[in-house]
């Protein structure tokens, strides 16, 4: 392997650049890593695996990476959890980072525990906060026991300290073309494991136009919507409002909406300007992810539901009827505007 200066300790951020423009979690982690690095006197290093990754490398530098380690090969182009785990293990053993941060994307959630196991170290999943303790450990703050407790976890005896963080938890540093960084290209160290899985194709999930975590308007539905067919109306409403659809766990489990729409402890944390909540009771595992919503409008038959108590506007009514009425009103409004402009 090439030589990399190891005078300083290092905080690594795994670069998840699939769907780059919608998913900003790597940039958010680079920003947080910069905060942590200033307390540890460490550098921030983005770890990039793939092929023809120059534009992403440039982006990571412009968003605060002090250094970028790149391993490129055509075989690394499709994200492969087996290959990436093997690479991460090998370079982490060689260069001994203090901390590895990985986005809690579907891929990151598969990668992180494998890397932690191989390196015989701890992992805290789905962190909502990261700090440095007085004695220099990474304090990993994460919901636990079904979201009823917030745990503060350290890994004092093992290195690296590994944490995954949900998209949307931290703010990225604004893009700055003037930033410079050392870029180190490494060769694939040793033999890669053969893939036991073959990627046939992948396509973007059509349900999400924008990232749910970044959406200014979220239309969220729960079991009170009544059926898959009725739930579908929420997509129509979200489109008219230029928002995104979110869902509770029973909805995702029932297959009324895809996994990516799940909001809550096991899903996404959102911060919309306006959140519509249709037929949702307000279990803590769901509401834990709504704390940054500015304004909540809840519709529920039960005025005493927790969600209704949390809401700025609580409408006691049938969720499906209110959704249909809103769609009708918005369509009429759009129609009358276009009549006027004709
Ligand atoms: C470890 C763990 C993790 C979890 N993680 C998550 C998570 O990430 N996200 C999540 O959402 N859940 C999560 N859950 C599940 C969570 O505890 C709740 O079960 C779930 O959020 C409830 O979803 P709901 O509000 O859609 O359904 P319900 O709790 O069944 O509520 C339905 C609501 O609809 C109302 N209603 C019924 N009919 C109508 C109607 N016609 N019009 C209007 N209102 C109506 C009812 O009054 C009720 O308030 C988790 C649970 C565990 C144990």
């Amino acid at each position: 392997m090439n030589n990399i200066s190891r005078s300083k300790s290092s905080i690594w951020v795994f670069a998840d650049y699939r769907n780059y423009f919608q998913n900003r979690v790597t940039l958010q982690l680079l920003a947080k890593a910069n905060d942590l690095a200033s307390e540890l006197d460490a550098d921030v290093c983005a770890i990039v695996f793939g092929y023809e990754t120059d534009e992403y490398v440039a982006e990571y530098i412009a968003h605060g990476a002090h250094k970028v380690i790149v391993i490129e090969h055509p075989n690394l182009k499709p994200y492969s959890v087996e290959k990436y785990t093997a690479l991460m293990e090998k370079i982490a053993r060689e260069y001994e980072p203090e901390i590895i941060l990985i986005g809690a994307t579907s891929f990151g959630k598969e990668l992180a525990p494998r890397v932690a196991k191989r390196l015989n170290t701890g992992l805290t999943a789905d962190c909502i906060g990261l700090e440095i303790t007085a004695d220099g450990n990474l304090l990993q703050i994460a919901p636990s026991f079904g979201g009823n407790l917030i745990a503060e976890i350290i890994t004092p005896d093992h290195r690296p300290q590994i944490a995954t963080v949900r998209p949307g938890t931290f703010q990225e540093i604004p893009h700055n073309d003037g930033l410079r960084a050392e870029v180190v290209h490494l060769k694939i160290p040793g033999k890669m494991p053969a893939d036991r899985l073959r990627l046939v194709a992948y396509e973007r999930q059509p349900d999400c136009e924008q990232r749910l975590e970044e959406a200014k308007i979220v239309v969220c539905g729960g079991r009170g919507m009544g059926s898959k067919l009725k739930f579908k109306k929420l997509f129509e409403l979200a489109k008219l409002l230029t928002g995104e659809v979110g869902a509770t766990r029973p909805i995702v489990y029932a297959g009324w909406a895809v996994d990516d729409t799940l909001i809550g402890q096991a899903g996404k944390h959102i911060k919309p300007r306006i959140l519509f909540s249709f037929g949702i009771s307000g279990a803590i595992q769901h509401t834990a992810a709504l704390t940054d919503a500015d304004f909540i409008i809840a519709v529920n038959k039960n005025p005493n539901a927790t969600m209704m108590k949390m809401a700025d506007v609580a409408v006691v009514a049938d969720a499906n009827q209110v959704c249909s009425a809103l769609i009708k009103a918005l369509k009429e409004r759009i129609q009358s505007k276009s009549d006027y402009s004709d």
Side-chain angles (χ1 to χ4, degrees):
M1 272 197 231
N2 311 35
N3 281 333
I4 304 177
S5 63
R6 258 188 285 176
S7 48
K8 267 186 163 184
S9 65
S10 198
I11 302 177
W12 285 9
V13 174
F14 170 71
D16 191 343
Y17 52 80
R18 298 160 311 150
N19 199 9
Y20 176 82
F21 291 101
Q22 281 75 36
N23 187 345
R24 315 288 287 185
V25 70
T26 307
L27 307 184
Q28 293 155 8
L29 291 182
L30 286 171
K32 188 66 195 174
N34 266 267
D35 293 346
L36 302 172
S38 60
E39 291 188 52
L40 280 179
D41 190 28
D43 61 24
V44 173
C45 179
I47 305 297
V48 180
F49 302 144
Y51 189 59
E52 296 175 333
T53 58
D54 287 357
E55 60 178 322
Y56 301 114
V57 170
E59 284 291 309
Y60 296 139
I61 296 169
H63 283 273
H66 306 147
K67 188 189 277 184
V68 187
I69 295 179
V70 185
I71 304 185
E72 285 198 301
H73 191 278
N75 288 349
L76 297 176
K77 188 165 182 167
Y79 267 52
S80 153
V81 78
E82 292 181 317
K83 290 195 171 95
Y84 284 24
T85 301
L87 286 178
M88 195 63 121
E89 180 196 356
K90 283 189 175 141
I91 61 171
R93 284 193 188 285
E94 177 82 6
Y95 299 109
E96 300 175 349
E98 265 296 290
I99 296 171
I100 303 178
L101 303 179
I102 298 176
T105 59
S106 50
F107 187 82
K109 285 179 187 174
E110 286 196 55
L111 177 72
R114 287 174 165 83
V115 172
K117 173 73 178 71
R118 300 264 185 108
L119 296 172
N120 190 31
T121 187
L123 160 72
T124 304
D126 285 340
C127 290
I128 55 170
L130 294 170
E131 293 169 17
I132 300 295
T133 62
D135 52 358
N137 283 303
L138 179 68
L139 185 70
Q140 301 154 79
I141 303 164
S144 109
F145 289 102
N148 293 319
L149 284 180
I150 299 294
E152 295 190 343
I153 298 166
I154 52 169
T155 312
D157 301 327
H158 296 267
R159 291 292 184 266
Q161 303 157 93
I162 305 184
T164 65
V165 176
R166 292 185 209 173
T169 304
F170 302 122
Q171 286 284 337
E172 67 191 63
I173 298 170
H175 189 279
N176 178 352
D177 272 336
L179 296 176
R180 295 286 172 263
E182 180 189 2
V183 180
V184 181
H185 286 267
L186 299 180
K187 293 208 163 55
I188 290 184
K191 206 166 171 281
M192 282 289 92
D195 268 328
R196 285 179 296 168
L197 295 173
R198 189 167 58 88
L199 177 68
V200 180
Y202 65 87
E203 60 185 67
R204 187 159 148 62
Q205 182 59 251
D207 279 353
C208 298
E209 297 285 332
Q210 50 183 321
R211 295 296 297 178
L212 200 43
E213 301 91 322
E214 312 298 335
K216 297 280 174 260
I217 297 179
V218 174
V219 176
C220 193
R223 197 147 37 188
M225 282 305 292
S227 69
K228 185 171 184 175
L229 204 63
K230 290 175 182 168
F231 190 89
K232 265 190 161 181
K233 286 188 191 166
L234 296 181
F235 289 97
E236 193 178 357
L237 179 60
K239 199 159 193 180
L240 289 165
L241 292 166
T242 59
E244 285 298 324
V245 171
T248 60
R249 195 167 78 162
I251 299 308
V252 170
Y253 277 14
W256 296 4
V258 295
D259 286 6
D260 256 8
T261 59
L262 178 63
I263 293 177
Q265 180 206 325
K268 290 177 177 160
H269 188 107
I270 54 169
K271 41 179 189 290
R273 302 276 301 278
I274 305 176
L275 169 66
F276 290 87
S277 173
F278 287 96
I280 293 176
S281 57
I284 177 76
Q285 293 88 358
H286 177 70
T287 56
L290 311 179
T291 47
D292 291 327
D294 287 340
F295 194 84
I296 301 178
I297 302 166
V299 185
N300 198 307
K301 272 180 148 174
N302 176 5
N304 296 317
T306 309
M307 201 62 235
M308 296 287 267
K309 295 191 173 146
M310 272 182 75
D312 298 280
V313 174
V315 183
V316 183
D318 178 81
N320 180 49
Q321 281 179 5
V322 173
C323 178
S324 301
L326 277 173
I327 291 171
K328 187 165 174 276
L330 284 164
K331 281 186 172 168
E332 282 170 5
R333 203 183 143 127
I334 293 165
Q335 184 60 44
S336 71
K337 272 194 178 168
S338 77
D339 289 349
Y340 184 71
S341 61
D342 283 347

